[in-house]
Amino acid sequence: MTFIEFLKTYGPQLANGSVTTVMQTLLAAGLAILIALIAGLMRLSHSRLIYGAATVYIEVFRGTSLLVQLYWIFFVLPLFGLSLEKFTAGFIAVGMNLGAYGAELVRGGILSVPKGQWEAATALSMSPAKMMRRIIFPQAFLNMLPPWGNLLIELLKGTALVALISVADLMFVARKINGVTYLSAQAFGTALIIYYLMSRGLITPFMRWLEGVMTRKLGKA
Amino acid sequence: MFDWRWEFVGDILPRLLKATGNTLLAALLGYGIAVVLGLILALAQRTHYPLLNRTVREFVEFIRSTPLVLQIFFVFYVGPQFGIMLSPWTAGMIAIGLHYASYLSEVYRAGIDSVPMGQWEAATSLSLSAARTYSRIIIPQAIPTAFAGMGNYLVGIFKDTPMLSVIGVAELMHTANAIGSEHYRFLEPYTLVGLIFLAISLPTAGALRKAEGKIRENMGLR
Amino acid sequence: MRPPTGDYPLRLEDEHIPMVRFQNVTKRYGDLVVLDSLDLDVEEGEMVTIIGPSGSGKTTVLRMLMALEMIDDGVIYLEGEPMTHMVKNGTLIRADKKYLRRQRLNIGMCFQHFNLFPHMTALENCIEAPIQVLGLSKTEAVERARDLLDMVGLLEKSDEHPSRLSGGQKQRVAIARSLAMRPKVMLFDEVTSALDPEVIGEVTQVIRKLVDKHNLTMLMVTHQMGFAREISDRVCFFYDGKIEEQGAPEQLFENPERERTQQFLSAVLEAT
């Protein structure tokens, strides 16, 4: 079987798997961004309780493996009465894990805004909420974009693990094809290339574009 | 519903702790490979052969952009297709070592790049040889920056070892899966695995942070 | 949150009330005493300049008045009302954030490094707080901002972002931004120290205009002795967190009484 034949035969399956991977990535990214914003802001709180809660969350999710978290959410949570469908369990695990890493980026991004900006806003009597929303966050956002690009690639890679709880993503399809054909180089190799194209062909250019837009918008160009 | 059995924990804990040894071994072996190979990948990108630079650069990018678990499968299954049989351990160490070598090569590069241009110029103005410039001026200043990244990836490789379970390396996750399917109980094994990971990675990360501070202090930076 | 030690009035009720009063104000960073029981009154419309060696607490005076940091002892009054504290149940307690925000409305501050908001144009910098804090309509705020940008000579730069402006231009926008809040007191914290020598003039020109045409109360920290001398009603020489000597500029610059003042002035003159 030539590689062309291989693609002709298994292309549709691989395409389906890729769509699932993209869906997992988008949903997990949405969740990760939400969690990162909340936990990141909580980490800047003066309240010990709020700060502590966010710290525990971040340390637990960064201190253990994504795979362990995924299995725990899928196999153990049902024992607590919370059964998640495998597709849902997949992106929730990935989103919660990467959200913990993202929280530190949010915190770091906000702290990277120079002290003078906070002081100038204070001197203008701005309320903390307005200060954060109108002065600090727009600047923090731009600072955060490059590391978020890397984080989203990690997130895409992380979604490959959902195959292990039988979500039919790209990784899952590649394994299935390998099991049927024993054409390992073709099956796994093609999947690797598709992941690479998603990372460097979609995520990286998108983040660059976003950075360019924000830079122009913030007048730094 | 919530049914935590301590005696079951007592039964399986020795098995899990034994597997922890394998997990640590896998992490350290993989890291050892990554540290050396990473240096080679980093230096290869600083040579004056554009083709070599470019190839290595693309290779590193490729490895960093694709899932480790897929790379593990690839290494493990592609060998036999061409008549090379690799044991799970060998395949796993190659895959994880190579994956983290790519990350570490970036850490080394960033470390070297973090040394200000003026340091190179000062070394040049003092007519120091290239070897001496690297060994006495650049590398010592690159270490504090690189150390933080190297530490992060040491903890990172440790946390990625559960992926080796997919090809049958008998580390923690693999053992927990086995226990789970033998006893039809997943609560204790998976929770214990999580706790063991926390118990190792949190103190290690803390110790590394402290060590990093010490290094900076000792070098009179900061 | 301990109350200030000693007797402090809940508000100043003398016949004559200064615009700003520092009463027994102390500020420490750890063991380091930056302001040591400072007493200082600034009258309405007065231009007071603070000079002194670095580390003498000059800038701290302004930062304490703007309540960017909290004082450790004493009380600062603004128009007779406590600024750092507020009255509750007949005693003075530490001002809360809301009270501080309201009191800060009376004060404008310009910083050494401008601290313009980089993601906003010059005009947007000047209308941000008037709209968001004072609740002005956009039309009103823009009109006010354009007048001020015109006054500082930068109307044509209204739509530029700070990254496109020179240091002198940035500082002039910063002055306009502060004035847009219509403060009663303006603070200038080494506003020319970060500037290239050739653009210092355009900033001092604006400050001079303010002194001539507006009845603003101003406190200025500067290293420019010539400018201080020309423009101030009073000059305070700070040393070690205290006012070592103060007086009219001619007197302080020409006949300083204290030895430290003489040493400082001769050292500074030597350098220029």
Side-chain angles (χ1 to χ4, degrees):
Chain A
M1 192 183 244
T2 66
F3 189 55
I4 302 289
E5 281 165 7
F6 175 84
L7 282 185
K8 267 194 189 138
T9 316
Y10 296 104
Q13 285 186 48
L14 288 165
N16 280 339
S18 302
V19 170
T20 305
T21 290
V22 170
M23 294 294 294
Q24 283 279 328
T25 303
L26 289 177
L27 289 167
L31 182 63
I33 291 168
L34 187 71
I35 289 174
L37 281 176
I38 295 171
L41 287 174
M42 283 170 74
R43 283 271 283 173
L44 293 166
S45 166
H46 292 297
S47 148
R48 275 177 174 247
L49 190 72
I50 295 175
Y51 172 87
T55 306
V56 168
Y57 175 83
I58 291 168
E59 294 293 346
V60 166
F61 275 84
R62 299 200 328 168
T64 56
S65 307
L66 172 55
L67 187 57
V68 178
Q69 292 153 23
L70 179 70
Y71 280 3
W72 208 90
I73 287 174
F74 189 61
F75 292 110
V76 177
L77 268 191
L79 304 175
F80 294 83
L82 187 60
S83 282
L84 293 174
E85 200 260 319
K86 60 192 176 192
F87 184 87
T88 316
F91 78 78
I92 285 186
V94 176
M96 287 182 81
N97 179 274
L98 273 301
Y101 288 89
E104 289 300 85
L105 297 186
V106 170
R107 176 172 164 272
I110 288 172
L111 290 179
S112 74
V113 177
K115 200 165 140 242
Q117 294 291 309
W118 300 79
E119 290 185 348
T122 305
L124 293 168
S125 295
M126 297 186 97
S127 68
K130 277 192 175 137
M131 196 188 299
M132 187 58 79
R133 209 178 61 233
R134 301 199 49 96
I135 308 299
I136 305 302
F137 200 77
Q139 299 181 55
F141 184 66
L142 185 61
N143 294 344
M144 265 184 253
L145 278 179
W148 266 101
N150 288 329
L151 196 71
L152 288 179
I153 289 176
E154 292 302 320
L155 187 143
L156 166 69
K157 290 161 59 183
T159 63
L161 291 179
V162 304
L164 301 178
I165 56 168
S166 304
V167 177
D169 73 337
L170 179 55
M171 164 85 195
F172 185 86
V173 172
R175 251 182 112 184
K176 209 174 86 187
I177 298 171
N178 177 62
V180 178
T181 64
Y182 296 103
L183 296 171
S184 307
Q186 288 88 329
F188 292 129
T190 312
L192 280 171
I193 290 169
I194 297 175
Y195 276 112
Y196 177 74
L197 292 177
M198 286 181 186
S199 296
R200 301 294 159 181
L202 292 177
I203 296 178
T204 305
F206 172 73
M207 292 307 285
R208 287 241 174 82
W209 170 82
L210 190 59
E211 226 175 298
V213 169
M214 292 313 292
T215 307
R216 267 195 304 282
K217 215 170 167 184
L218 300 191
K220 288 209 168 165
Chain B
M1 188 178 92
F2 183 84
D3 172 31
W4 178 271
R5 292 197 198 147
W6 282 108
E7 43 180 320
F8 184 54
V9 170
D11 287 346
I12 64 173
L13 198 56
R15 230 172 123 186
L16 286 174
L17 289 178
K18 212 173 140 205
T20 307
N22 276 350
T23 288
L24 289 174
L25 182 66
L28 291 177
L29 268 178
Y31 193 67
I33 296 171
V35 164
V36 177
L37 198 56
L39 192 59
I40 296 170
L41 292 177
L43 291 178
Q45 289 177 66
R46 291 190 78 89
T47 57
H48 295 292
Y49 307 103
L51 188 66
L52 181 66
N53 290 356
R54 182 95 200 156
T55 314
V56 174
R57 172 94 233 112
E58 291 298 328
F59 177 76
V60 166
E61 282 291 295
F62 188 85
I63 297 284
R64 280 173 10 113
S65 315
T66 50
L68 171 58
V69 67
L70 188 53
Q71 292 164 10
I72 292 173
F73 276 121
F74 186 89
V75 173
F76 187 61
Y77 285 105
V78 168
Q81 199 181 351
F82 301 99
I84 309 164
M85 299 300 278
L86 295 175
S87 73
W89 269 95
T90 314
M93 288 305 99
I94 292 175
I96 212 168
L98 199 57
H99 193 80
Y100 275 89
S102 302
Y103 279 102
L104 284 183
S105 74
E106 293 292 289
V107 169
Y108 298 143
R109 265 164 39 104
I112 291 172
D113 288 347
S114 75
V115 180
M117 207 51 213
Q119 294 293 309
W120 294 91
E121 287 168 359
T124 308
S125 74
L126 294 168
S127 305
L128 295 182
S129 69
R132 194 131 186 100
T133 302
Y134 265 107
S135 67
R136 295 289 303 150
I137 311 296
I138 305 303
I139 304 264
Q141 296 185 68
I143 284 174
T145 311
F147 186 85
M150 290 180 74
N152 283 342
Y153 287 124
L154 174 60
V155 179
I157 203 169
F158 168 66
K159 286 184 296 185
D160 273 351
T161 52
M163 290 190 207
L164 297 171
S165 66
V166 299
I167 53 168
V169 173
E171 48 64 70
L172 257 176
M173 200 72 227
H174 191 264
T175 309
N177 285 337
I179 293 172
S181 43
E182 281 163 30
H183 299 268
Y184 299 104
R185 287 192 66 80
F186 292 96
L187 171 63
E188 293 87 353
Y190 285 156
T191 308
L192 286 173
V193 169
L195 291 176
I196 292 171
F197 269 99
L198 272 184
I200 296 173
S201 67
L202 288 187
T204 309
L208 286 168
R209 259 197 302 275
K210 242 185 219 150
E212 189 203 343
K214 272 249 169 63
I215 288 182
R216 283 184 186 275
E217 222 169 273
N218 286 348
M219 305 202 57
L221 304 166
R222 82 156 280 111
Chain C
M1 288 291 163
R2 69 201 162 85
T5 48
D7 271 334
Y8 297 94
L10 300 184
R11 59 172 50 81
L12 304 182
E13 286 172 311
D14 318 320
E15 212 161 285
H16 171 79
I17 294 172
M19 180 57 95
V20 175
R21 167 168 290 174
F22 286 75
Q23 188 166 342
N24 195 32
V25 171
T26 297
K27 174 67 184 174
R28 299 181 203 93
Y29 295 117
D31 289 338
L32 184 71
V33 179
V34 201
L35 287 185
D36 188 0
S37 307
L38 173 70
D39 290 317
L40 172 67
D41 280 6
V42 182
E43 303 302 329
E44 189 181 351
E46 196 182 15
M47 167 58 126
V48 174
T49 300
I50 298 171
I51 61 170
S54 48
S56 59
K58 309 180 299 271
T59 288
T60 310
V61 175
L62 304 191
R63 295 174 60 82
M64 297 302 118
L65 177 53
M66 193 38 131
L68 292 175
E69 293 164 65
M70 285 297 125
I71 57 178
D72 293 305
D73 206 352
V75 177
I76 301 176
Y77 295 91
L78 186 71
E79 284 192 297
E81 301 285 337
M83 166 87 199
T84 49
H85 294 73
M86 59 188 199
V87 181
K88 196 177 176 189
N89 301 330
T91 51
L92 283 180
I93 60 163
R94 274 288 164 102
D96 63 20
K97 286 183 178 158
K98 217 171 142 196
Y99 183 85
L100 282 179
R101 265 209 305 284
R102 206 175 61 226
Q103 283 289 58
R104 282 196 195 101
L105 288 175
N106 298 307
I107 312 173
M109 182 164 185
C110 296
F111 301 86
Q112 181 179 357
H113 297 288
F114 334 122
N115 299 347
L116 288 179
F117 304 133
H119 55 304
M120 298 179 181
T121 63
L123 186 78
E124 284 165 349
N125 263 280
C126 296
I127 62 175
E128 175 68 15
I131 293 175
Q132 297 292 331
V133 179
L134 300 181
L136 259 58
S137 74
K138 186 157 185 208
T139 334
E140 276 177 290
V142 167
E143 195 183 332
R144 188 187 278 192
R146 287 177 64 87
D147 282 350
L148 287 165
L149 285 172
D150 192 27
M151 195 269 286
V152 301
L154 289 173
L155 192 53
E156 79 282 7
K157 299 282 183 189
S158 291
D159 297 324
E160 297 285 3
H161 278 89
S163 56
R164 300 281 186 125
L165 302 176
S166 72
Q169 292 170 333
K170 283 183 201 165
Q171 196 57 282
R172 286 187 281 156
V173 173
I175 293 173
R177 177 175 75 176
S178 300
L179 291 172
M181 298 296 280
R182 303 257 162 99
K184 294 170 182 159
V185 182
M186 274 292 280
L187 310 179
F188 296 100
D189 184 10
E190 301 197 28
V191 288
T192 56
S193 297
L195 299 179
D196 290 332
E198 71 271 19
V199 299
I200 288 177
E202 59 190 63
V203 173
T204 53
Q205 200 61 43
V206 169
I207 297 175
R208 200 172 282 129
K209 211 154 142 188
L210 286 179
V211 171
D212 291 345
K213 301 220 171 104
H214 300 264
N215 192 34
L216 268 168
T217 307
M218 294 188 240
L219 261 160
M220 177 169 81
V221 171
T222 187
H223 292 294
Q224 284 180 278
M225 297 306 147
F227 184 54
R229 177 174 175 167
E230 166 205 344
I231 202 161
S232 314
D233 297 312
R234 180 154 52 110
V235 179
C236 299
F237 172 68
F238 263 68
Y239 193 89
D240 248 5
K242 286 189 175 126
I243 299 178
E244 179 81 13
E245 182 170 358
Q246 59 177 316
E250 308 77 44
Q251 181 232 312
L252 193 109
F253 284 110
E254 267 153 49
N255 295 307
E257 285 168 9
R258 312 279 296 197
E259 204 187 321
R260 279 180 182 142
T261 320
Q262 292 160 7
Q263 280 170 355
F264 174 77
L265 287 175
S266 64
V268 169
L269 292 177
E270 184 76 27
T272 45

